[in-house]
Amino acid sequence: MKVLVIGSGGREHCLVWKIFQSLLVDKIYCAPGNGGTFEIAENVNISAEDIDSLLEFALKEDVDLTVVGPEIPLVLGIVDRFEEKGLKIFGPKKELALLEGSKVYSKEVMRKYGVPTADFRIFTEAEEAKQYVSQKGLPLVIKADGLAAGKGVIICESQDEAFKAIDSIIVDKQFGDAGNKIIIEDLVDGEEVSVLIFTDGNTILPLVSSQDHKRAFDGDNGPNTGGMGAYSPAPLVSEESFNQIIKKAFKPLIEGLRKEGKVYKGILYGGLMIKNNQPYVLEYNVRLGDPETQAILPKLKSDLVEVMLNTINESLSDTVLEWDDRFCLSVVLTSGGYPGHYEKGNQIFGLEELKNMKDIYVFHAGTKTLDNKIVTNGGRVLNIVSIGANIKEAQEKVYQAIKIITFDKMFYRKDIGYRALQRVNL
Ligand code: GLY
């Protein structure tokens, strides 16, 4: 089989690495890929958002399966376009990619199907939104409806912050049309966890739980980022609460949609807050998480391509996922300054040495090859991943491995997994 993976981050390198292990696969393309995918796939210089060129490429090369990493192509309707041409592609269609593409749609569907989520109201006018904030009191969460590169969710502790957020989204159009509508919702405090499922619209096949670290600095301080590290499983989620999450956060939604004639196929990612052992859905994503994937897929023993094909063919009821039950932890190495301004083009040293280390994996994100060298090419540069018998072992191994990697202005968090470690030490 020929497989095309779309995207260029750590998640996509991890996908390519896992797909490479499948006995069903002879050839992998990655569009546009990075310095890591370059080693095991053929990088194709097409942007993940250029659906016309991706389709043309897949038809020309007789690609048997396309796997979409990021959300934008899904929200743009890549699945519908490929399927119209008879191509197999993994992910939901455009109308269901709205679960991530429109927070308003997502919250309305949650309400419709009784999925536990924070109470909310929708606004299109700044004055009405401000009036609501004054009546309701703080804290509140203000969200732009559409995709906003992870920046469209603002936690407001004071009225001043809330009014500023409303003005910047609705009046100043900080996120363009993504801010035509806003959601104002109650703040649910607690600890956040990511639970992802494979579903073919009937069967729900959960992946192992995970947690990521979104803040730039140790102790979960500093600005929000795309994610500075992740681990799996999340000790926060007991077996019982995991079953509750599947029962309350996923089952009613998948069943409800199916009854409407909407068959959700692909990965559905629930970003959940756990409060008093009860799950609240903060958001759905219609794809694998980044960096969660880098902490989940190294634990998966089953053939990922087989699972994806069974999802597309609606035969997940016969599929079983097998997992390595050890602990997996991933730390993101970034270019200093990220998520603000950072340099590109700095040579990375030590990658060859890491290839020989047992239970250590390296997934590239913002890297590229230049004159046979690997150089930095983004804010999040590398994911260094380790599997260990327990959290402590995985954490120690990963930080030992990181000592071998150097590049100018390299930065990373030194405490990935600290919450998990505190929890198991309780
Ligand atoms: N780790 C957060 C995300 O993938 O959206």
Side-chain angles (χ1 to χ4, degrees):
M1 273 180 76
K2 291 186 195 173
V3 179
L4 167 64
V5 175
I6 295 175
S8 60
R11 167 184 50 208
E12 286 76 25
H13 185 196
C14 189
L15 275 166
V16 166
W17 167 83
K18 186 66 190 161
I19 290 168
F20 186 74
Q21 294 163 25
S22 170
L23 297 176
L24 301 169
V25 175
D26 319 295
K27 169 93 189 165
I28 310 175
Y29 300 101
C30 191
N34 58 35
T37 60
F38 178 79
E39 291 187 358
I40 44 176
E42 183 178 327
N43 282 353
V44 182
N45 191 16
I46 304 175
S47 150
E49 291 161 32
D50 182 355
I51 312 292
D52 288 341
S53 303
L54 290 167
L55 180 57
E56 194 185 320
F57 177 83
L59 287 168
K60 183 167 78 66
E61 297 299 332
D62 279 329
V63 167
D64 299 291
L65 171 66
T66 298
V67 177
V68 187
E71 61 280 12
I72 292 181
L74 294 166
V75 172
L76 290 175
I78 191 170
V79 172
D80 309 59
R81 296 283 308 281
F82 272 50
E83 286 185 350
E84 276 162 21
K85 295 286 179 198
L87 293 170
K88 274 196 174 25
I89 179 163
F90 180 81
K93 289 189 175 180
K94 187 174 182 173
E95 65 172 359
L96 288 175
L98 269 186
L99 283 169
E100 180 164 359
S102 165
K103 293 191 177 68
V104 167
Y105 172 74
S106 191
K107 290 287 286 193
E108 282 177 338
V109 173
M110 287 185 225
R111 185 175 268 167
K112 184 169 175 187
Y113 293 117
V115 170
T117 189
D119 194 24
F120 68 98
R121 291 268 304 268
I122 295 158
F123 296 93
T124 52
E125 302 297 329
E127 280 319 305
E128 280 175 32
K130 288 179 186 174
Q131 235 172 41
Y132 177 70
V133 169
S134 307
Q135 285 160 9
K136 182 86 185 171
L138 283 300
L140 287 168
V141 183
I142 299 186
K143 297 178 169 179
D145 176 35
L147 293 179
K151 298 192 179 102
V153 176
I154 305 160
I155 296 171
C156 303
E157 304 282 349
S158 69
Q159 182 164 302
D160 191 41
E161 277 177 309
F163 284 13
K164 273 194 187 131
I166 291 166
D167 282 336
S168 77
I169 301 175
I170 297 186
V171 182
D172 305 335
K173 293 267 172 237
Q174 184 192 356
F175 306 116
D177 286 347
N180 287 348
K181 291 182 188 168
I182 62 166
I183 295 167
I184 304 187
E185 71 177 34
D186 295 353
L187 178 75
V188 183
D189 52 6
E191 209 174 315
E192 220 177 307
V193 67
S194 308
V195 174
L196 287 74
I197 60 164
F198 283 101
T199 180
D200 57 7
N202 281 294
T203 302
I204 289 175
L205 208 54
L207 284 78
V208 283
S209 63
S210 59
Q211 270 182 296
D212 72 349
H213 291 261
K214 291 194 170 71
R215 300 295 188 118
F217 307 136
D218 285 7
D220 293 319
N221 291 305
N224 257 327
T225 70
M228 297 295 285
Y231 49 86
S232 172
L236 168 68
V237 183
S238 64
E239 200 179 320
E240 195 199 320
S241 71
F242 192 81
N243 293 337
Q244 285 296 315
I245 289 169
I246 301 304
K247 190 172 151 204
K248 293 183 174 173
F250 292 104
K251 242 177 155 273
L253 178 83
I254 296 299
E255 282 176 10
L257 290 172
R258 195 182 61 227
K259 284 187 190 134
E260 281 181 45
K262 295 176 179 168
V263 179
Y264 189 100
K265 290 191 203 179
I267 286 279
L268 185 62
Y269 161 144
L272 305 138
M273 195 60 94
I274 307 294
K275 188 178 179 183
N276 304 328
N277 270 325
Q278 291 304 312
Y280 292 83
V281 177
L282 298 177
E283 61 177 9
Y284 289 118
N285 295 321
V286 295
R287 41 134 187 117
L288 284 159
D290 188 344
E292 289 95 329
T293 302
Q294 297 88 300
I296 292 175
L297 289 188
K299 283 167 55 64
L300 180 64
K301 292 188 190 163
S302 315
D303 183 331
L304 180 64
V305 174
E306 222 174 275
V307 181
M308 288 180 160
L309 290 173
N310 290 349
T311 304
I312 294 170
N313 299 333
E314 296 182 35
S315 56
L316 270 187
S317 56
D318 303 330
T319 311
V320 177
L321 296 181
E322 284 186 59
W323 299 99
D324 182 331
D325 56 16
R326 291 176 296 164
F327 194 85
C328 188
L329 186 125
S330 170
V331 176
V332 178
L333 308 186
T334 66
S335 300
Y338 170 81
H341 177 75
Y342 53 82
E343 290 174 10
K344 287 185 183 179
N346 293 325
Q347 189 177 351
I348 303 169
F349 300 94
L351 288 167
E352 281 304 312
E353 207 176 317
L354 252 56
K355 282 190 181 150
N356 303 319
M357 287 178 75
K358 192 168 180 292
D359 290 333
I360 293 287
Y361 308 99
V362 178
F363 299 118
H364 293 224
T367 73
K368 67 173 184 181
T369 46
L370 186 71
D371 304 330
N372 290 324
K373 293 174 193 138
I374 304 273
V375 300
T376 64
N377 191 39
R380 291 193 289 172
V381 176
L382 294 169
N383 300 260
I384 313 297
V385 181
S386 167
I387 293 209
N390 52 46
I391 301 164
K392 201 164 166 35
E393 189 184 299
Q395 204 184 38
E396 279 170 8
K397 277 207 260 187
V398 95
Y399 282 109
Q400 275 306 112
I402 287 173
K403 286 187 187 156
I404 297 168
I405 299 286
T406 53
F407 58 86
D408 207 19
K409 309 271 188 329
M410 176 171 123
F411 177 83
Y412 60 94
R413 275 183 61 164
K414 316 289 183 296
D415 66 345
I416 299 301
Y418 82 97
R419 277 183 200 272
L421 205 54
Q422 277 170 0
R423 194 164 287 280
V424 295
N425 286 338
L426 281 178

